[in-house]
């Protein structure tokens, strides 16, 4: 079965540093998402992306965050200057249509020290 | 806005049935999902139900949907130790790129 892949599985960074989390969505999917899960809390929506632009974002997704689909296969989340509270598991997801099931990657655990 | 509520913990004995409950607020939800998250792993789609259905069965899993009460449940028959995980209820509304909204998750512990 096709799957969404994310790299790296773990990322440790110093506060204030930039990080890029990478995702390869399922190849024929058109809608892409980032979610995050702070330890012990809900899975929270960050941003959705379609047709090479952000279609919706949450209030968490401030100016420190950006997303990009630099080529036909990768979908990246950049955090410009990381804060301690950015420590979380970040999940990428993709789907073919918005009213169909989302396929999630296994996540990147980001630890900001 | 949309909200999804679940109880946080459930403990059952191996071989018994588990029932995980969820309530949601958005009556226009089209799909409702159950995801499973094992320790250190990603979100695995277990099953889903379309809003015009009342029940869906998939091997050991039974999903019941009560649209009037906005209540969703997941029943796992013959629960095994490998079923120990966090189970997330999630809803999606058919509206452009509206995101999936998750509950906090129910931690299922299976006692041998």
């Amino acid at each position: 079965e096709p799957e969404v892949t994310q790299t790296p599985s773990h990322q440790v960074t110093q506060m204030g540093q930039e990080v890029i989390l990478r995702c390869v969505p399922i190849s024929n999917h058109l809608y892409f998402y980032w979610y995050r899960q702070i330890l012990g809390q809900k899975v929270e929506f960050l941003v959705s992306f379609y047709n090479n632009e952000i279609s919706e974002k949450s209030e968490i997704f401030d100016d420190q965050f950006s997303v990009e689909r630099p080529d036909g296969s990768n979908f990246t989340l950049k955090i410009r200057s990381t804060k301690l509270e950015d420590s979380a598991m970040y999940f990428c997801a993709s789907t073919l249509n918005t009213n169909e099931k989302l396929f999630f990657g296994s996540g990147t655990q980001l630890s900001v020290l | 806005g949309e909200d999804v509520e679940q109880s946080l913990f459930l403990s059952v004995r191996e071989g018994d049935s588990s029932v995980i409950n969820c309530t949601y607020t958005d009556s226009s939800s089209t799909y409702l999902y159950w995801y499973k998250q094992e320790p250190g792993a990603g979100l695995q789609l277990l099953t889903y139900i379309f809003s015009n259905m009342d029940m869906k069965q998939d091997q050991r899993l039974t999903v019941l949907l009560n649209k009037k009460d906005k209540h969703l449940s997941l029943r796992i028959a013959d629960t095994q130790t490998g079923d120990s995980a966090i189970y997330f209820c999630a809803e999606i509304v058919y509206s452009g790129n509206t995101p999936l909204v998750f509950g906090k998750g129910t931690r299922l512990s299976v006692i041998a």
Side-chain angles (χ1 to χ4, degrees), chain B residues 68-87:
Chain B
K68 175 174 167 290
D69 296 337
K70 296 180 196 162
H71 182 265
L72 182 73
S73 67
L74 173 69
R75 180 175 178 271
I76 305 173
D78 186 27
T79 314
Q80 303 297 307
T81 54
D83 295 324
S84 293
I86 301 176
Y87 290 80

Side-chain angles (χ1 to χ4, degrees), chain B residues 6-21:
Chain B
Q6 301 177 240
S7 52
L8 295 181
F9 300 98
L10 177 66
S11 183
V12 298
R13 292 201 175 276
E14 192 174 19
D16 288 351
S17 292
S18 309
V19 179
I20 302 171
N21 294 301

Side-chain angles (χ1 to χ4, degrees), chain B residues 44-80:
Chain B
Q44 174 197 353
L45 179 65
L46 270 185
T47 187
Y48 62 97
I49 189 167
F50 191 48
S51 59
N52 68 353
M53 298 168 67
D54 296 322
M55 187 183 88
K56 180 179 178 181
Q57 185 147 6
D58 184 2
Q59 299 181 332
R60 291 191 297 124
L61 305 178
T62 303
V63 180
L64 294 177
L65 174 60
N66 180 330
K67 288 188 288 292
K68 175 174 167 290
D69 296 337
K70 296 180 196 162
H71 182 265
L72 182 73
S73 67
L74 173 69
R75 180 175 178 271
I76 305 173
D78 186 27
T79 314
Q80 303 297 307

Side-chain angles (χ1 to χ4, degrees), chain A residues 85-105:
Chain A
E85 52 265 39
D86 294 327
S87 295
M89 178 77 92
Y90 287 81
F91 292 105
C92 173
S94 69
T95 187
L96 183 57
N97 292 307
T98 55
N99 60 340
E100 293 194 7
K101 57 186 177 182
L102 266 65
F103 289 82
F104 282 84

Side-chain angles (χ1 to χ4, degrees), chain A residues 39-61:
Chain A
L39 187 65
Q41 298 187 24
K42 280 190 180 190
V43 177
E44 300 172 296
F45 168 75
L46 291 178
V47 66
S48 59
F49 191 87
Y50 169 73
N51 199 25
N52 281 321
E53 61 183 23
I54 291 172
S55 44
E56 193 161 348
K57 59 183 180 180
S58 71
E59 58 190 25
I60 302 168
F61 194 88

